[in-house]
Amino acid sequence: MSFSSRRRNYLLTPHRRDGLIEWMKSMLQHSFVLDALETTGADTFTHFEALVEEHRQMDGSPQPSRLQQLVPQIGMFHTSLFLRAAFTIYNEKHCLTKRKHIQISFNEIRHILNLAQILAMRKNLPGQENATDLLASTRGFEEGANVSSEDDDSVGPLGGLIDDGEDTGGPTLSS
């Protein structure tokens, strides 16, 4: 397939696959179709959070967790994921629950998962009460692009944290 036909058919070809995100997206679909995401969205993410924590607790167990039964290719989680809190923060900024015609996307769920991981890491770090709150910055960047203060207003405070010797990190996901 040539480059131009690939670009033309971009939406027709499955290009991003992650079993957990695809499963989460399918679980949220019923709320969107019934126009109930505003009332059930946070509760659904609470359920996801409980399944992830159960999966973490069953590490090394001969029996598969409920999450592993639902998503067989799931790996191990190294931190808890505060998914309800992450969904609430992301929804406040992007108004996911106010939509009528566009359901939650793969990338939005990926951003919520990344934000949940940041919340978990932030909770476990000493001195977190002095850290600048950068959690609302969930902007994606083009592959290979540099982050600059012109692109994102979190760069200045993030640089300040680095200058102060604070540990910083940002989760990513390769496609």
Side-chain angles (χ1 to χ4, degrees):
M1 184 182 317
S2 71
F3 176 74
S4 61
S5 65
R6 202 175 8 192
R7 198 162 75 184
R8 216 177 17 251
N9 296 322
Y10 180 77
L11 293 175
L12 299 177
T13 58
H15 57 283
R16 289 191 173 165
R17 290 285 173 213
D18 182 285
L20 177 64
I21 295 176
E22 294 292 334
W23 174 76
M24 291 172 82
K25 187 176 174 188
S26 71
M27 291 297 292
L28 289 163
Q29 186 174 9
H30 73 280
S31 295
F32 177 78
V33 170
L34 297 173
D35 196 22
L37 193 57
E38 192 161 6
T39 55
T40 64
D43 292 336
T44 304
F45 276 93
T46 300
H47 180 67
F48 295 158
E49 190 173 321
L51 288 173
V52 167
E53 195 55 37
E54 175 192 279
H55 182 71
R56 290 185 71 233
Q57 299 301 322
M58 293 185 71
D59 184 30
S61 172
Q63 289 186 312
S65 67
R66 290 185 296 167
L67 183 58
Q68 195 167 20
Q69 291 173 1
L70 295 166
V71 185
Q73 66 271 34
I74 195 81
M76 191 58 212
F77 294 92
H78 299 286
T79 62
S80 296
L81 293 177
F82 302 122
L83 291 166
R84 184 184 185 114
F87 172 75
T88 302
I89 291 168
Y90 195 84
N91 186 46
E92 285 174 7
K93 182 173 182 179
H94 298 284
C95 301
L96 300 175
T97 57
K98 302 291 184 197
R99 294 184 188 161
K100 300 292 180 198
H101 304 290
I102 302 172
Q103 75 178 53
I104 192 167
S105 72
F106 178 97
N107 280 338
E108 289 167 333
I109 294 173
R110 180 176 60 89
H111 287 151
I112 292 168
L113 287 166
N114 286 345
L115 188 55
Q117 189 175 14
I118 291 171
L119 287 169
M121 291 186 311
R122 184 172 178 224
K123 182 175 183 180
N124 296 325
L125 291 175
Q128 67 180 351
E129 61 279 353
N130 298 324
T132 304
D133 189 2
L134 301 174
L135 296 176
S137 180
T138 55
R139 183 173 183 271
F141 295 93
E142 292 297 321
E143 185 175 343
N146 293 324
V147 179
S148 71
S149 57
E150 296 166 1
D151 297 328
D152 193 345
D153 58 358
S154 66
V155 172
L158 185 59
L161 288 174
I162 294 170
D163 289 343
D164 292 343
E166 295 286 337
D167 291 330
T168 59
T172 62
L173 178 70
S174 299
S175 57

